[in-house]
């Protein structure tokens, strides 16, 4: 059995290449997808969660609001904290913080929405005796959720950009 492992290791890249998988960011930062998602202007997002999501998106997209970008990303957030665990004396022991985003990618030249999707995540928070510790945990949860939301949005933007690049590369009939 162990003598077939080297052969399997040599054949694995060939089998993966035949399945049609392609790297999303081929070409690195100079690739077509990376260049396409780098041309997205992020519209201001309200609130503390909006500030965190905007910064996370800018970090991932490499976008700086220039005003001349061909696409504009509009994001609306819904940030909720709900009680999850309650003791007999009606004191809360656990909370759930949920952050949802509805985002639209707008073609700046035409003003049309080319992508309209949602992203979301949630996290549990232990409620302890110290109010300071609970507030710190809620803030940390919001920071974590903001990065998760930004990762989801960027992944979907990259998939959209790849489809656009592939469609533009197809010869006209």
């Amino acid at each position: 059995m162990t003598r077939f492992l080297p052969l399997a290791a040599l054949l694995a890249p060939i089998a993966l290449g035949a399945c049609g998988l392609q790297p999303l960011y081929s070409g690195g930062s100079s690739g077509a997808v990376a260049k396409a998602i780098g041309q997205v202007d992020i519209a201001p997002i309200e609130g503390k969660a909006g500030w965190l999501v905007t910064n996370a998106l800018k970090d991932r997209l490499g976008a700086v609001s220039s005003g001349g970008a061909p696409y504009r990303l509009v994001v609306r957030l819904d940030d909720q904290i709900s009680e999850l665990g309650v003791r007999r004396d009606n004191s809360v022991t656990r909370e759930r913080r949920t952050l949802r985003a509805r985002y639209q990618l707008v073609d700046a030249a035409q003003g049309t929405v080319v992508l309209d999707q949602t992203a979301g995540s949630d996290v549990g928070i232990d409620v302890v005796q110290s109010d300071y510790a609970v507030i710190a945990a809620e803030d940390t949860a919001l920071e974590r959720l903001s990065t998760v939301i930004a990762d989801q949005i960027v992944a979907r933007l990259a998939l959209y950009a790849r489809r656009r690049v592939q469609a533009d590369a197809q010869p006209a009939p």
Side-chain angles (χ1 to χ4, degrees):
M1 181 74 165
T2 58
R3 58 187 159 161
F4 292 114
L5 285 177
L7 181 61
L10 290 173
L11 294 177
I14 295 169
L16 283 177
C19 75
L21 289 177
Q22 299 173 350
L24 184 59
Y25 294 105
S26 62
S29 62
S30 61
V33 171
K35 285 181 182 177
I37 65 172
Q39 298 177 348
V40 175
D41 187 26
I42 303 165
I45 308 170
E46 293 182 15
K48 181 178 181 178
W51 181 79
L52 290 167
V53 171
T54 300
N55 286 338
L57 285 169
K58 285 182 180 180
D59 288 345
R60 284 150 181 77
L61 293 174
V64 178
S65 297
S66 60
Y71 294 101
R72 186 177 73 248
L73 182 64
V74 179
V75 180
R76 284 185 275 314
L77 296 175
D78 179 28
D79 181 20
Q80 302 283 329
I81 298 178
S82 57
E83 298 174 351
L84 203 56
V86 181
R87 291 189 185 120
R88 287 184 188 186
D89 64 353
N90 286 333
S91 62
V92 177
T93 60
R94 191 118 172 103
E95 295 176 336
R96 177 177 30 207
R97 186 162 205 163
T98 305
L99 186 62
R100 301 280 181 252
R102 177 169 184 221
Y103 59 96
Q104 297 175 323
L105 186 64
V106 179
D107 185 326
Q110 298 175 4
T112 58
V113 175
V114 295
L115 186 67
D116 186 355
Q117 294 190 351
T118 60
S121 188
D122 61 3
V123 67
I125 302 167
D126 286 329
V127 177
V128 295
Q129 295 290 334
S130 169
D131 290 339
Y132 175 78
V134 173
I135 292 170
E138 290 173 351
D139 285 345
T140 301
L142 182 59
E143 291 171 10
R144 189 174 323 123
L145 290 171
S146 298
T147 60
V148 169
I149 295 291
D151 287 340
Q152 291 177 9
I153 292 172
V154 170
R156 291 179 186 149
L157 290 177
L159 289 172
Y160 171 77
R162 184 176 73 181
R163 285 193 302 267
R164 290 284 305 201
V165 167
Q166 288 175 341
D168 292 344
Q170 294 294 326

